[in-house]
Amino acid sequence: MAKRAKLFPHEISVSHLTEFRAGWNDLYPSSTTRSKVQERLRGFLRYCLASNFITRIPILSSIQVKTPPTLPLTDAQYKKLLKVIPEEFSGTKAKRVHAFVRIMRHSGLAIRDTVTLKRIEVRHDKHKGLYRIVTSRQKTGTHVSVLIPPDVAMEALSVMKLNESPKYIFWNSGTGTERTVVTNWQHDVKQTFVAAGMPDGHSHQLRDTFAVSLLQKGVPMEEVSKLLGHTSIKTTEKHYAPWVTARQDRLDSLVVATWVTSEHGAKAGH
């Protein structure tokens, strides 16, 4: 603004801000960074308004944050992830990280939901001999009820005995802020991915693996959406629609396999 002989806040116009923002794509390649820079700019303008330096805040269009999609893990990648845990961590920490990764993979819970998972939310159906996680998503409050393999449930409950907290499974002492505990677990999971040779790996891939494994085995999108705790099936379709094609390919192959008759020949297409 000084280069344009504008020395007072009230002289800042939308056109000036638009021009200022035009160079951000080169300065900040990440849309997330650009969004944060704009929020700091708005914070400055709000300060100016509160200080009566300006009478209104110029309105800027929002910056759309583009989050690159994560991909599900292959069976080999998932096995490698579990294999490196006792090599990367030791003792109690290794047991807790191993159980944490398995719970995320087999429940589809996001990392924040897993961190805050309570003992009473892992329920045992004695008649069916099955374990179920019954909770609400921290992000949306949406109810979630999903079955998990008995050995995964037992492993998670066993590591809870190593905690100081009788309430949570993975929140070790039950103290500290939720944000701090989630950040610590994000670091541990990231460290595991790096050790497994996947430096770009992300905890959300465990949730993706859960969802895609269901879709590829023919579970309808509507049911997968419920298990993930999405508030709308549109959210599920946005992230996982491409994998429905993979499911359709599998169904197609099953249909083609039924064509091996005397009428259609030994091979499909002949």
Side-chain angles (χ1 to χ4, degrees):
M1 295 299 295
K3 289 180 180 179
R4 288 157 181 75
K6 305 294 183 181
L7 305 178
F8 300 97
H10 73 267
E11 296 180 293
I12 300 174
S13 67
V14 173
S15 62
H16 289 131
L17 294 175
T18 302
E19 182 184 359
F20 175 55
R21 197 173 70 168
W24 288 4
N25 286 347
D26 293 331
L27 283 173
Y28 316 111
S30 169
S31 59
T32 300
T33 303
R34 292 196 297 272
S35 178
K36 291 181 178 179
V37 171
Q38 176 152 301
E39 183 53 37
R40 288 199 295 269
L41 176 59
R42 283 175 171 162
F44 167 72
L45 293 172
R46 285 194 294 269
Y47 168 79
C48 290
L49 180 65
S51 302
N52 295 319
F53 296 153
I54 58 177
T55 57
R56 59 184 294 274
I57 296 177
I59 298 176
L60 282 172
S61 60
S62 61
I63 294 177
Q64 297 297 319
V65 176
K66 299 178 181 178
T67 305
T70 56
L71 296 174
L73 300 172
T74 64
D75 288 342
Q77 288 175 322
Y78 178 62
K79 290 178 181 177
K80 181 66 179 297
L81 204 63
L82 294 179
K83 182 180 179 181
V84 301
I85 291 174
E87 301 170 3
E88 191 67 18
F89 304 96
S90 60
T92 300
K93 184 65 172 288
K95 293 179 180 179
R96 298 181 74 237
V97 173
H98 193 276
F100 190 89
V101 169
R102 293 191 76 201
I103 280 287
M104 286 198 68
R105 159 62 183 88
H106 291 285
S107 68
L109 292 178
I111 192 166
R112 184 181 172 194
D113 300 319
T114 307
V115 170
T116 57
L117 185 65
K118 299 181 179 68
R119 168 63 183 87
I120 61 173
E121 294 175 329
V122 180
R123 304 179 184 179
H124 182 223
D125 187 328
K126 295 182 179 179
H127 296 291
K128 295 181 179 179
L130 298 172
Y131 286 86
R132 179 187 302 277
I133 289 178
V134 181
T135 185
S136 295
R137 291 210 60 203
Q138 294 289 315
K139 184 177 181 180
T140 61
T142 309
H143 175 75
V144 173
S145 178
V146 57
L147 290 172
I148 58 175
D151 62 307
V152 175
M154 293 303 294
E155 181 179 358
L157 293 176
S158 68
V159 301
M160 181 181 176
K161 298 176 182 178
L162 305 173
N163 289 350
E164 298 173 13
S165 170
K167 183 177 181 180
Y168 297 99
I169 294 180
F170 297 109
W171 194 332
N172 190 29
S173 64
T175 59
T177 66
E178 180 181 306
R179 175 177 293 183
T180 299
V181 180
V182 171
T183 299
N184 291 340
W185 271 109
Q186 287 173 330
H187 178 271
D188 290 340
V189 174
K190 182 64 176 181
Q191 184 176 338
T192 305
F193 271 101
V194 172
M198 295 176 275
D200 296 326
H202 193 282
S203 62
H204 204 281
Q205 289 181 265
L206 295 165
R207 181 169 163 86
D208 292 336
T209 304
F210 169 78
V212 171
S213 67
L214 294 175
L215 290 171
Q216 290 183 324
K217 291 175 183 175
V219 179
M221 180 75 76
E222 295 82 359
E223 304 305 324
V224 173
S225 183
K226 293 177 182 177
L227 291 171
L228 291 172
H230 285 161
T231 55
S232 170
I233 191 174
K234 292 182 179 179
T235 302
T236 317
E237 291 173 339
K238 175 183 176 181
H239 293 289
Y240 301 111
W243 299 102
V244 179
T245 302
R247 181 192 67 181
Q248 186 62 54
D249 290 341
R250 178 179 176 277
L251 295 175
D252 289 346
S253 66
L254 293 174
V255 172
V256 171
T258 67
W259 295 349
V260 183
T261 65
S262 56
E263 177 185 356
H264 300 295
K267 295 182 179 179
H270 288 261

